[in-house]
Amino acid sequence: VIVFLNGRFVLEPEAVVSVFDRGFLYGDGLFETVRVHLGRPFRWPQHVERLQRGAEFLGIQLPGSPAELGRGAAGLIARNRMPEALLRVQLSRGVGPRGYSPRGADAPTLVMTLHPAPADSAAGLPRWTLSTASLRLPVGDALAMHKTCSKLPQILARAEADARGADEALLLNAAGELAEAAGSNLFWISAGRICTPPLSAGILPGITRAVVLELCTGFRWPVLEVIAGPGALRQAEAVFLTLSSWGIVEAVSLDGQPLRTSPQVARLRDAYQALMERECAGAS
Amino acid sequence: VIVFLNGRFVLEPEAVVSVFDRGFLYGDGLFETVRVHLGRPFRWPQHVERLQRGAEFLGIQLPGSPAELGRGAAGLIARNRMPEALLRVQLSRGVGPRGYSPRGADAPTLVMTLHPAPADSAAGLPRWTLSTASLRLPVGDALAMHKTCSKLPQILARAEADARGADEALLLNAAGELAEAAGSNLFWISAGRICTPPLSAGILPGITRAVVLELCTGFRWPVLEVIAGPGALRQAEAVFLTLSSWGIVEAVSLDGQPLRTSPQVARLRDAYQALMERECAGAS
């Protein structure tokens, strides 16, 4: 496998960073996971835009323009001959002096790697089981808006779900409100309306979440951003998750109790896949 | 400079980790910073014990016994000929599959590096200015008990303090209570009593914090773990910070307003330095 590392294409054994890189020392960085379909990264401009926003927030200089980043991604996909893949883009603050202060770390590290696309993601609606994490997300956390590399809370939540035999972890915020899942955004259908927590619940503004909101608008399906407790999921007509790697995934149980399911989720997924097909097959 | 990397001593250019190391991808690891004096790491058993507790909590296998870790540290100090230094020990979960689940990452990375000791730390009481971070720490966060590599909240707080010209960031928790500073624990003196937030405020159980509590007990100075707001610092007879790298540091201002200072802090620091001297000069 070939890796993009600071403007160069290198083989995996050379794809290394210094042990003094602040990404390694402190999770001081940002990343994006992008679905590559037909050789093209889906919703690339939105991912780059989020990365840029995060970099500005953290005070990290993104090396190169969005166009250069795009050329690097295209080169990586071509060199690896992986037209169906996941593209991971990581920006870290690079090497700097010891200590939390970011002063003196002025040479950021930019890495792009390709990973196999989830095998089932092309084969109909994936179905996952959920378990509620004991860890709660902070409310009103400015960092929640950015896809940072300080991910231990999400890792712990996911490890707990693993231990319970669940596929994904549901996260509530400190107020006990529905927030998101460890690696995905949360939706549910209630009285025919598509519901999702507002960004103010302390969640990541997911790219796939935004695409789903777009699709619902196109369908003239009513969408509501709702602050609700976990009981809303038990009463829902269906619950689903959105993430760039898998797209739309139906949640079929929560903490071992089955959730209701609805053909509307498969319809939304079909629309999502069709949109991805159309955009990735279209002119670059 | 020579670095300890997974059981080997390597030169800095070879001190690298894979871009697929979860420490780099997600801040999925732990670290310790230990003061080395007279060639010996001060309070080494306590640092190793905290690292072991964290590793158990995160489900990372510490490679090697505490004794082997100690031999590695001693070898590193000797090879670098740095009897006065800071020793940084980092354990990351190592390379694993993409995604938050820690499953399949079974070869942790252990790195030890030496850094110059703060130049002033031997030369009398250091004095720092504080500014209050806008970011709040979560209350009752199980992760706060461990020194993890997911440190962006602390980095942001510290960057904000930098921008305001302050030396360190004071962090309150979500309940508005005094918690800790970005890279140090917090103490203040009120009516002759040494006060510090309880661990339940959501803070790191600092090794230097524990030594200070020990010293106060030895002096028969009354110590109180207190839940208090930031007003307590303004009324205090003195405010000080504890951290392994610098030891005891007096805080001289908060958000631009001077704080009161007391000779008791210098006395405590003298006792701390004497203890370090005694223990590091003693039999190994």
Side-chain angles (χ1 to χ4, degrees), chain A residues 1 3 5 12 15-31 33 57-58 86 88 90 92-93 98-103 109 111 113-116 118 135-136 138 141-143 147-156 158-159 162 166 182-183 245-246, chain B residues 1 3 5 12 15-31 33 57-58 86 88 90 92-93 98-103 109 111 113-116 118 135-136 138 141-143 147-156 158-159 162 166 182-183 245-246:
Chain A
V1 56
V3 170
L5 176 60
E12 195 170 331
V16 292
V17 293
S18 166
V19 298
F20 299 103
D21 191 293
R22 292 174 58 95
F24 181 69
L25 298 179
Y26 303 126
D28 190 1
L30 297 157
F31 73 103
T33 304
F57 181 74
L58 295 185
L86 296 178
R88 196 177 182 286
Q90 177 161 345
S92 92
R93 205 185 297 271
R98 196 199 59 80
Y100 296 153
S101 170
R103 271 195 293 214
T109 302
V111 181
T113 51
L114 277 183
H115 305 259
L135 179 147
R136 301 283 180 98
D141 177 13
L143 274 169
K147 202 166 170 79
T148 79
C149 293
S150 281
K151 279 286 174 276
L152 262 175
Q154 285 74 13
I155 289 168
L156 271 187
R158 184 55 203 280
D162 285 355
S245 52
W246 288 79
Chain B
V1 58
V3 170
L5 176 61
E12 194 170 331
V16 292
V17 292
S18 167
V19 298
F20 298 103
D21 191 293
R22 292 174 59 95
F24 182 67
L25 299 178
Y26 303 125
D28 190 2
L30 298 156
F31 73 102
T33 305
F57 182 74
L58 296 183
L86 296 178
R88 194 178 183 285
Q90 178 161 345
S92 93
R93 203 184 299 272
R98 197 199 58 80
Y100 297 152
S101 169
R103 271 194 294 214
T109 303
V111 181
T113 52
L114 278 182
H115 305 259
L135 179 147
R136 301 282 180 100
D141 179 12
L143 274 169
K147 202 166 171 78
T148 81
C149 294
S150 281
K151 278 288 174 274
L152 262 174
Q154 285 73 13
I155 289 168
L156 271 186
R158 184 56 204 278
D162 285 354
S245 51
W246 288 79

Side-chain angles (χ1 to χ4, degrees), chain A residues 257-268:
Chain A
Q257 307 253 306
L259 295 167
R260 289 161 70 194
T261 57
S262 158
Q264 219 175 337
V265 178
R267 210 179 133 197
L268 202 53

Side-chain angles (χ1 to χ4, degrees), chain A residues 3 8 31 53 60 75 86-87 92 103 110 133 156 175 190 194 214 253 258 277 282:
Chain A
V3 170
R8 293 170 53 229
F31 73 103
R53 238 185 309 125
I60 304 178
L86 296 178
L87 169 63
S92 92
R103 271 195 293 214
L110 182 65
L156 271 187
S190 173
I194 312 287
E214 230 176 78
S253 73
E277 197 71 28

Side-chain angles (χ1 to χ4, degrees), chain A residues 16-237:
Chain A
V16 292
V17 293
S18 166
V19 298
F20 299 103
D21 191 293
R22 292 174 58 95
F24 181 69
L25 298 179
Y26 303 126
D28 190 1
L30 297 157
F31 73 103
E32 292 290 330
T33 304
V34 190
R35 179 70 162 91
V36 175
H37 181 52
L38 304 171
R40 295 223 175 89
F42 180 52
R43 292 288 166 129
W44 175 249
Q46 284 85 344
H47 283 283
V48 173
E49 198 266 327
R50 185 170 65 184
L51 185 65
Q52 284 182 298
R53 238 185 309 125
E56 194 169 327
F57 181 74
L58 295 185
I60 304 178
Q61 183 74 40
L62 193 61
S65 65
E68 283 168 311
L69 204 61
R71 279 195 293 276
L76 186 71
I77 296 163
R79 276 173 175 80
N80 282 287
R81 296 193 186 132
M82 281 176 77
E84 301 301 317
L86 296 178
L87 169 63
R88 196 177 182 286
V89 183
Q90 177 161 345
L91 174 69
S92 92
R93 205 185 297 271
V95 172
R98 196 199 59 80
Y100 296 153
S101 170
R103 271 195 293 214
D106 304 315
T109 302
L110 182 65
V111 181
M112 289 195 270
T113 51
L114 277 183
H115 305 259
D120 305 345
S121 70
L125 183 64
R127 292 186 169 85
W128 285 0
T129 57
L130 284 179
S131 92
T132 309
S134 36
L135 179 147
R136 301 283 180 98
L137 293 175
V139 188
D141 177 13
L143 274 169
M145 294 287 290
H146 305 286
K147 202 166 170 79
T148 79
C149 293
S150 281
K151 279 286 174 276
L152 262 175
Q154 285 74 13
I155 289 168
L156 271 187
R158 184 55 203 280
E160 190 182 36
D162 285 355
R164 292 176 184 163
D167 297 310
E168 172 63 307
L170 174 70
L171 288 159
L172 308 180
N173 66 22
E177 303 156 355
L178 291 170
E180 60 190 344
S184 47
N185 284 114
L186 177 70
F187 284 82
W188 66 97
I189 306 179
S190 173
R193 291 166 310 183
I194 312 287
C195 303
T196 194
L199 297 184
S200 63
I203 63 170
L204 184 78
I207 307 297
T208 310
R209 177 183 183 275
V211 173
V212 164
L213 295 178
E214 230 176 78
L215 287 171
C216 290
T217 307
F219 284 154
R220 298 178 190 276
W221 286 354
V223 174
L224 276 179
E225 293 196 330
V226 189
I227 292 178
L233 302 186
R234 305 230 168 266
Q235 288 149 24
E237 286 136 45

Side-chain angles (χ1 to χ4, degrees), chain B residues 1-3 9-16:
Chain B
V1 58
I2 294 164
V3 170
F9 293 100
V10 299
L11 290 171
E12 194 170 331
E14 296 146 53
V16 292

